[in-house]
Amino acid sequence: MKKGVGTSAASRPSRLQLLLEFDFNRQAQEQGNSKHEYFLCEQYPPSTKPVQELSPIGIADLDLDKHHLGKVLFVRTIESAIRDAAVQNIIQDETGTVQRLALYNTDAAVNAEEILPTDALFAIKEPYFAVNANNGCSIRVDHPSDLVQLGLNETGAPEQLRADLAEQRKSALDWKEEGNAAFGKGNHLSALHAYNHGLEACDTSDSETKRVILRNRALVNIYLIRFEQALADAKAAVIPVSEQQDDQAVAVNIKAYQRAGHAAYKLNRFQEAEECFKRVKESAPGDEDATRNLQRIEKRVREQSTGEYDFEEMSKSASKKRNRLDHADFTSNTTIKEADAHGRGLFAMKDIRVGQLVICEKALCVSFGSDEASQTYSILDHKNERGSVGTQATLLFKLVQKLLYSPEAAADFFELFNGSSNRKTSLETVDSLVPIDAFRVLSILNHNSYGCPAVRSSSKAAQKQIASQSGYQSTGLWLKVSYINHACDGNVMRSFIGDMMIVRATKDISKGDEILMPYRLPNAINSATQDELQRIWGFKCDCGICVAEAATPLSQRKQRAQLIEKSKSLLSARPLSLDPQKVKTVTAQIEKLLVKIRNTYDEQRFENRPRLGLVAPGLWLCQAYRHRGQYEEVIKTATDLIRDLGFIVTIRKQTLRVDRTYCQLEETAVDAAIYAARAYHEQGATRTGKQMKDFAAELYVIMNGESRGFKDRFNEI
């Protein structure tokens, strides 16, 4: 361990050195250095003790590479904050000693100066003094709950760091006006701190001013997405019936109930929200805002209880600028239970038919690729050889900030699987914050987050992202869905509209069955699937497909993998882009490869199981045969392809039946059904063609959550 002072000049820079360094870093950022790399340090837990229970320590007494347990460092910021991977400022303690402060895991969209404002008083709980990425030293705060912004007259803070007399002489009304001005400029955190100071300055007998500030703070907390605090403030701002109720009192109570109603609504406490808006209607029967909100609540309650959504309207309402949607969760079809060797899982509470809605859930938190600064951050974990980039990183920052102010959400979130760590964190509010372990949040996200499109699964942009190696450019976390275990041939499939995840049944599910879903669509080469699952989630799959693959001799699997790799160069050329002779030549080659690949699948082991190595060449042949007008071949190949995805199709007396027991659904099944439908129509078998088209439409809705886009898809093929 190295002593912080007296060891080297680097560990105790002068005020001038730090000011010059900050100016240089600010200029570098202004010149376009927009990439921010967050290097994870050795994990440590957040402090769970209040400031008053910790012993003061000065900057000069900090040891390098040490967490100073049981200690608190009181400091003031002395510069305008800058943002890199962390929000940074220069701090000084009561002796005038200065040091760098680096605060990680803050919302990238919030101005750095609002997070670490100039000349603000902070308590750093159990400070960690460490070498930073530039080989300098800084006081590093990875858990934002370890940094507490203090009030004007904090009793434990050194006298030298207290607010000056001018600040202390401000009245509650002065602070209220300062908060209102900040709110008017969109500086919500600054407004919040001003209102906090105003409440601190309130005389105990001045209940009217206190209620005004509480109402205003409730509104700020709504904007800051701190709904539990907003609800508490709004309810505390209501003038009780026991006091005189003149017209002015009624008017301000309407404001308080409106804000309480909005906060309760955002917390999905629809009954409480309804009561608040009904109070508004009692005082102001013509209030249109209350009427609209009562109508919204009625819709949300219906969605929550019945799963009846207007998906067409939901889809139309979603856009890149409006992708956080106003809908309730429907999760009552499922329950969480132990799932044998797979830990906890999600199980059906009733029989669910193929295509029916299993879950529709709003994200607890989502970072869209279209959000500000969403693509400029990365997290580097050298110890575990993992990295998170873009929205995977900014989701961590957004989620930590959300959980800091929501004990309710934090309690639900920390129930999720987090890999190997068994460390528990106290979730009781301390110093007005929930002690959030940012490292544990990241571990949970690594095991439970999902990529998602910016708008909807059915959009062409989303389809292109799925087809690309990079995948979706947005990332979110859905609480109930996180309990679904993986199976390549699972019984549900997910899709997205905005921040709503829609989970539909891909096959009939009986009451008591476990809900299973492929985390990633399986690779045609099973070893690649297993390697990816092991690398990302730490397990190997034991579904029906993977069991059949494992039972196949290694030599046979290697032969199949070689044939699949060989086919890739042939499949890269689309049939429509080739001249007729070339199409004929390549078609013959792929036909031969298809036979060879098929022969690597044991008929008994894969009797009804998906044979994924046949899917890509089968789709190519469907395109080629249709291009050449060979409709009989299209029907046969498309039907084989559908079968190779585990759907057993039979047509008897012009009636199409599908056995989905072992199916593994992917977009290729939709395309194959469309190819078959169009080929049947071309041959005059219109009834069978319509049934095949309906089958394709059913698969499309399961894959995309809605029917929007199917007509275009059908016409394109």
Side-chain angles (χ1 to χ4, degrees):
M1 184 185 297
K2 302 174 184 176
K3 192 69 176 173
V5 171
T7 303
S8 67
S11 65
R12 51 185 182 90
S14 68
R15 178 185 294 259
L16 179 59
Q17 283 177 307
L18 288 182
L19 290 172
L20 289 173
E21 176 188 300
F22 259 60
D23 282 341
F24 176 82
N25 290 341
R26 185 174 287 108
Q27 289 174 21
Q29 287 189 356
E30 290 171 355
Q31 291 171 5
N33 180 20
S34 59
K35 296 296 182 182
H36 310 299
E37 294 182 332
Y38 173 20
F39 292 90
L40 294 189
C41 62
E42 191 72 28
Q43 294 190 16
Y44 63 97
S47 176
T48 57
K49 295 181 179 179
V51 170
Q52 293 83 351
E53 292 184 11
L54 300 171
S55 304
I57 191 173
I59 291 175
D61 297 317
L62 297 177
D63 291 327
L64 198 56
D65 296 328
K66 178 179 177 180
H67 302 281
H68 297 78
L69 302 180
K71 303 294 183 181
V72 60
L73 174 63
F74 293 102
V75 297
R76 264 196 184 277
T77 50
I78 64 173
E79 249 290 0
S80 177
I82 61 174
R83 181 186 285 281
D84 194 3
V87 174
Q88 302 174 50
N89 210 324
I90 304 170
I91 52 173
Q92 69 174 21
D93 63 13
E94 72 272 22
T95 68
T97 306
V98 295
Q99 192 50 263
R100 306 172 188 87
L101 171 64
L103 174 63
Y104 293 91
N105 296 306
T106 64
D107 191 334
V110 178
N111 186 285
E113 181 59 21
E114 282 209 84
I115 296 170
L116 290 180
T118 308
D119 198 32
L121 178 61
F122 287 95
I124 305 173
K125 300 197 294 184
E126 302 188 317
Y128 176 31
F129 191 38
V131 176
N132 60 34
N134 298 319
N135 293 319
C137 298
S138 61
I139 297 166
R140 176 182 180 127
V141 179
D142 291 275
H143 310 298
S145 54
D146 288 349
L147 184 72
V148 181
Q149 186 165 353
L150 301 176
L152 295 172
N153 301 304
E154 193 69 35
T155 54
E159 189 67 36
Q160 301 91 322
L161 294 175
R162 303 271 185 90
D164 59 30
L165 288 177
E167 292 281 280
Q168 293 185 33
R169 286 171 180 167
K170 283 184 182 178
S171 68
L173 288 174
D174 291 334
W175 284 115
K176 185 202 81 168
E177 293 304 318
E178 190 170 311
N180 291 351
F183 180 79
K185 295 176 183 177
N187 298 331
H188 301 133
L189 273 176
S190 300
L192 178 70
H193 295 314
Y195 293 143
N196 288 343
H197 293 328
L199 289 170
E200 189 180 357
C202 265
D203 188 275
T204 53
S205 62
D206 191 359
S207 59
E208 182 179 347
T209 301
K210 182 178 181 181
R211 287 178 182 137
V212 170
I213 296 175
L214 282 169
R215 280 196 304 274
N216 292 0
R217 192 171 74 171
L219 183 59
V220 164
N221 275 319
I222 288 173
Y223 274 84
L224 289 170
I225 319 180
R226 301 177 184 178
F227 300 121
E228 289 170 53
Q229 289 82 351
L231 181 58
D233 281 349
K235 290 167 76 172
V238 172
I239 300 172
V241 177
S242 58
E243 297 186 22
Q244 186 176 355
Q245 293 285 317
D246 56 16
D247 289 346
Q248 184 179 359
V250 170
V252 296
N253 269 1
I254 286 174
K255 275 189 178 181
Y257 280 123
Q258 284 173 332
R259 289 168 191 180
H262 283 294
Y265 181 91
K266 289 293 187 179
L267 290 166
N268 292 334
R269 300 178 188 176
F270 298 123
Q271 184 177 351
E272 188 172 357
E274 183 180 32
E275 291 171 0
C276 291
F277 289 118
K278 281 183 175 178
R279 290 288 186 94
V280 174
K281 293 284 285 185
E282 288 171 6
S283 301
D287 191 293
E288 293 182 359
D289 180 69
T291 300
R292 282 192 299 270
N293 278 295
L294 286 169
Q295 291 170 346
R296 280 203 307 164
I297 290 167
E298 185 180 354
K299 290 180 181 178
R300 300 296 85 81
V301 171
R302 185 166 59 250
E303 291 170 348
Q304 189 179 62
S305 59
T306 67
E308 294 176 8
Y309 295 84
D310 186 338
F311 287 109
E312 183 178 354
E313 185 57 37
M314 184 190 292
S315 180
K316 288 178 180 177
S317 72
S319 67
K320 279 191 175 181
K321 292 184 177 179
R322 188 183 180 278
N323 42 19
R324 291 173 172 87
L325 305 184
D326 180 16
H327 291 281
D329 297 339
F330 172 68
T331 60
S332 58
N333 274 349
T334 60
T335 187
I336 301 164
K337 294 196 305 185
E338 290 299 318
D340 299 327
H342 298 151
R344 288 172 297 175
L346 208 60
F347 292 80
M349 295 279 285
K350 55 179 282 190
D351 292 344
I352 303 171
R353 295 280 296 165
V354 61
Q356 286 186 336
L357 188 66
V358 178
I359 290 175
C360 187
E361 184 178 14
K362 186 176 177 65
L364 172 67
C365 190
V366 63
S367 182
F368 286 110
S370 53
D371 291 347
E372 182 181 349
S374 64
Q375 302 298 340
T376 64
Y377 285 82
S378 59
I379 300 173
L380 303 174
D381 182 357
H382 288 301
K383 181 179 179 180
N384 295 309
E385 297 183 337
R386 294 190 70 144
S388 303
V389 297
T391 58
Q392 295 174 345
T394 51
L395 178 61
L396 170 67
F397 309 153
K398 289 176 184 290
L399 189 52
V400 167
Q401 291 300 310
K402 182 182 181 76
L403 300 178
L404 278 173
Y405 303 96
S406 180
E408 187 178 304
D412 290 338
F413 175 79
F414 282 112
E415 282 295 310
L416 299 179
F417 179 69
N418 69 336
S420 59
S421 173
N422 294 315
R423 185 173 66 241
K424 296 293 183 182
T425 300
S426 169
L427 298 178
E428 293 185 12
T429 300
V430 180
D431 297 319
S432 301
L433 298 169
V434 181
I436 297 300
D437 187 332
F439 300 117
R440 192 165 168 224
V441 174
L442 179 59
S443 179
I444 290 173
L445 285 177
N446 285 340
H447 289 86
N448 296 279
S449 61
Y450 287 92
C452 59
V455 183
R456 63 181 71 85
S457 295
S458 63
S459 69
K460 290 187 177 179
Q463 298 298 322
K464 287 180 181 177
Q465 288 178 345
I466 292 174
S468 70
Q469 289 187 343
S470 56
Y472 287 136
Q473 301 302 302
S474 304
T475 313
L477 183 127
W478 289 261
L479 277 172
K480 195 72 176 282
V481 170
S482 293
Y483 287 95
I484 298 179
N485 284 317
H486 167 89
C488 299
D489 57 356
N491 50 21
V492 299
M493 184 58 69
R494 65 187 177 274
S495 58
F496 303 90
I497 301 177
D499 62 345
M500 303 298 296
M501 186 190 288
I502 302 158
V503 179
R504 293 185 182 274
T506 60
K507 56 192 75 170
D508 290 343
I509 301 171
S510 298
K511 180 180 179 180
D513 284 354
E514 185 176 3
I515 307 299
L516 298 167
M517 178 170 66
Y519 292 170
R520 295 276 180 92
L521 288 177
N523 194 293
I525 301 173
N526 187 257
S527 59
T529 298
Q530 297 286 27
D531 289 347
E532 185 176 40
L533 292 172
Q534 183 67 53
R535 177 175 56 83
I536 299 174
W537 290 284
F539 68 84
K540 292 197 173 184
C541 182
D542 57 2
C543 73
I545 298 173
C546 294
V547 168
E549 288 281 359
T552 301
L554 180 59
S555 59
Q556 207 166 315
R557 281 181 278 150
K558 285 184 175 180
Q559 181 190 8
R560 184 190 308 143
Q562 291 169 355
L563 291 169
I564 290 170
E565 289 298 329
K566 184 178 179 181
S567 71
K568 286 181 179 178
S569 60
L570 292 172
L571 299 175
S572 62
R574 289 178 57 83
L576 293 178
S577 67
L578 303 174
D579 63 69
Q581 185 56 44
K582 185 69 172 176
V583 171
K584 185 177 180 180
T585 302
V586 176
T587 298
Q589 292 174 312
I590 292 178
E591 287 172 339
K592 290 178 181 178
L593 271 173
L594 193 69
V595 172
K596 290 181 179 179
I597 295 172
R598 191 177 299 281
N599 289 337
T600 66
Y601 287 100
D602 182 271
E603 282 296 329
Q604 186 175 355
R605 294 191 187 96
F606 288 90
E607 181 181 3
N608 293 317
R609 299 285 181 190
R611 307 173 185 189
L612 302 180
L614 300 169
V615 172
L619 182 63
W620 195 98
L621 289 174
C622 284
Q623 295 170 340
Y625 293 144
R626 186 172 188 278
H627 181 49
R628 295 166 62 182
Q630 296 175 270
Y631 298 117
E632 282 287 349
E633 292 300 322
V634 171
I635 291 170
K636 180 183 182 305
T637 305
T639 305
D640 285 347
L641 196 164
I642 293 168
R643 180 262 163 269
D644 290 330
L645 284 167
F647 297 88
I648 310 303
V649 175
T650 56
I651 301 173
R652 292 176 184 169
K653 296 181 181 180
Q654 294 187 313
T655 300
L656 184 145
R657 290 185 173 83
V658 183
D659 182 349
R660 300 170 174 83
T661 305
Y662 301 104
C663 73
Q664 191 269 302
L665 179 57
E666 58 181 70
E667 291 287 352
T668 311
V670 179
D671 292 338
I674 292 175
Y675 277 116
R678 293 183 71 91
Y680 277 118
H681 277 290
E682 291 288 349
Q683 290 196 321
T686 54
R687 179 177 173 180
T688 306
K690 182 183 182 304
Q691 291 177 80
M692 192 62 81
K693 181 180 179 180
D694 291 344
F695 175 51
E698 175 194 281
L699 297 181
Y700 181 91
V701 170
I702 295 171
M703 287 294 301
N704 296 281
E706 54 166 338
S707 60
R708 180 176 181 171
F710 176 72
K711 185 177 179 180
D712 291 341
R713 178 86 160 266
F714 187 84
N715 291 335
E716 285 172 2
I717 290 179

